[in-house]
Amino acid sequence: METIYGYLERITFVNEENHFTVARLQEKAKKELTTIVGNLAGINPGESLRLFGKWVHNAKYGNQFQVEKYETVVPATVNGIEKYLGSGLIKGIGPVMARRIVKTFGLSTLDVIETTPDELAKVDGIGAKRIEMITKAWEEQKEIKEIMIFLQSNGVSAAYSARIFKRYGKASIENVRENPYRLAADISGIGFITADRIAQNMGVDPNSILRVKEGIIYVLNELTNEGHVYYPLETLLAKAAEMLKVDVEFTKRAAAELLEERRIIKEDLQGQPPLQAVYLPAFYTAETNLARLLLCLTGEPSSIRSIDTEKAIDWVAAKTGSNLAEKQKEAVVLSAQKKLLIITGGPGTGKTTIIKAIIQIFRALKLRILLAAPTGRAAKRMQEATGHEAKTIHRLLEYSPRKGGFEKNQESPLEADVVILDESSMIDLLLMYHLVKAVPLNATLILVGDINQLPSVGPGSVLKDLIECGRFKVVTLTEIFRQARESRIVTNAHLINKGMFPDLKKPPDRELSDFYFIEENEPEKIIKKILTLCLSRIPKRFGFHPVQDIQVLTPMHRGELGVMNLNLRLQEFLNPNESRLIRGNKSFKVNDKVMQVTNNYDKSVYNGDVGTISRIDQEEQEVQVNFEGRCVTYDFSELEELVLAYAISIHKSQGSEYPAVIIPVVTQHYLLLQRNLIYTGLTRGKKLVILIGSKRALAIAVKNNKTQNRFTWLDERLAEGI
């Protein structure tokens, strides 16, 4: 085994899943930096390292030192200290401030921060407030280091150590020792698998009832992430036993304890065949109570007084200068008669026209109308199209971070006679439950959406269940109106929805179309064409902004044409700024297009919101993101909430529209080549859609109308009236 010494110049890559790190080391008496690779969790730029390992040759990157183990000491050189302090390790000290501090104190810098921090006031730009910040951050860093050593020995990365410290503080080691599985529930990014690895390293018995119980909860949570509301007991226990590598008898015993503790709920469902359904309590409550509330709503009298609907339709036509088609008239009439109405149809079938007509009539009747949609973008589109204020469902229900719930509910209902919800296919069980709880019993609820879109990301298939239960009036729009028929996006979307191959013919030379198909089979060539389309071809020909107006959508997360790789390539191409912030396997730059991937109620940003990084402050350890004119600040510890958004998954695009959309369609995406996926992606493009890939892959997707059935009992509960 060979040994090398030096100080860490910079970290270029960290994989948070397996802690694999690529970094550059400055060895003594060497001009060129040495590339080091291996499991190096917890190292920071500027630290002096003694590394043990061997030299290997990488065909692409040349000679590298493969580290098997290492020792770290605080930096011993002025340059090392500057690097160490300027790495973002200590809040309040960035590269510029680090240079000033080291210039003032030299080799004594770390001793000054440790023992006499008040002396930092001698440095230009450091006042009492910043000294306090630095002192606190230094103490925290020492404590984190101790926690990190403990956790690292049990297979946890440095990034997670910081999150654990933020959550538990000085009690971190004690809490982890007591029950390592609590990390899965308490720490963002740490799932059961990581918590289980820690537990195993700490000597927890693989057959312990604690482990098996937490494993069952984990499997059930994963199944809800796939859209299921419940799961059959027998299959659930078999899945848990297989995942945990234990005998199914252990899972039966663990499930019995979970039932006794009310951490899971079992119900015998009288289906064909009958089955024992297992729910997480929140989903059982939501499903049973949503069914009851919907039945109550439709059973109560309406606050809308009886009107001459024919006259109302004629009045709307005269007021707007447009006549409604028969199905549109039916929808308007029923909106005044039914307590719950569902309007569904594809693009260009006139859903927005119906909403506008309904609003006109109800406004004339002096009714209180509320408009909402599941996402910010969908709400904005709804407002622009109708001229009536529209909110996200979370805003409508007045979510309170302090209380951890919605202010609007049964005790404090919405002040409304009519609630109209757009993009209803996106709404999951829990959100629909909270919404219906807040709808007054005398109000009318109108759900508008496209049943052929992808189902909600969250558990349930609410719109589908409400349609199929047979309890509520449904208006299905099929007629494509003249203006929409002129769009190849719309016509091809409807062809795909019917299982027919889209029209791929090229428009005549110099004639612009809103739909193009570019045939290409090789992933690398597809990537290069996507890059060229974004940077030059589309902006030059259509005038669209390369970042703000063009959205790449893809079915997959991994692989050459998955979200992760496409984002890295697009970032490099569209934002060549050299200065970057590296956090784990993420790299952020100023002007990057980013997406929020969790609901953050404190910041009022929600899953799917897209913004642009406007500032990265290494000293304050903050990143500022501009969300359509509203600036939101993130601490470095909160950056797991953000991902690059030059490319996003088609699932994430639901409820949004973009001026231009590019979608790779290749056979490598075989498992995800589904009709509703391509249909949803296609309908996200407002003015331009470009499919790029193979006709074979597109044909597979168009033919594949099999969608995964979700385990939900809402339609049966509604049909049976319970």
Side-chain angles (χ1 to χ4, degrees), residues 43 92 148 210 278 286 295 337 361 538-539 579 587 598 600 620 671:
I43 60 172
M148 193 171 63
L210 170 68
V278 179
L295 293 169
Q337 297 173 348
I361 292 168
I538 294 175
S579 178
S587 167
T598 59
N600 188 321
E620 299 293 329
L671 292 173

Side-chain angles (χ1 to χ4, degrees), residues 501 517 519-521 664-670 672-675 678 692-704:
F501 199 74
F517 179 81
E519 191 157 16
E520 183 54 72
N521 291 306
V665 185
V666 292
T667 50
Q668 285 89 336
H669 295 161
Y670 186 81
L672 291 166
L673 289 176
Q674 296 171 349
R675 188 186 299 172
I678 300 298
I692 177 167
S694 74
K695 289 177 182 176
R696 181 169 173 262
L698 185 56
I700 292 169
V702 171
K703 286 177 185 174
N704 182 11

Side-chain angles (χ1 to χ4, degrees), residues 102-156:
V102 173
K103 191 175 178 182
T104 305
F105 301 108
L107 290 171
S108 306
T109 296
L110 299 182
D111 286 333
V112 169
I113 296 172
E114 173 79 38
T115 58
T116 55
D118 288 346
E119 285 193 43
L120 291 170
K122 294 175 182 176
V123 180
D124 188 36
I126 296 186
K129 190 177 176 183
R130 190 174 292 269
I131 289 173
E132 188 182 343
M133 185 194 297
I134 292 169
T135 305
K136 185 183 176 187
W138 182 260
E139 288 302 314
E140 283 184 358
Q141 194 57 41
K142 283 189 342 192
E143 289 176 351
I144 288 172
K145 200 82 174 176
E146 185 187 340
I147 294 162
M148 193 171 63
I149 291 166
F150 165 74
L151 292 171
Q152 207 180 308
S153 66
N154 290 295
V156 187

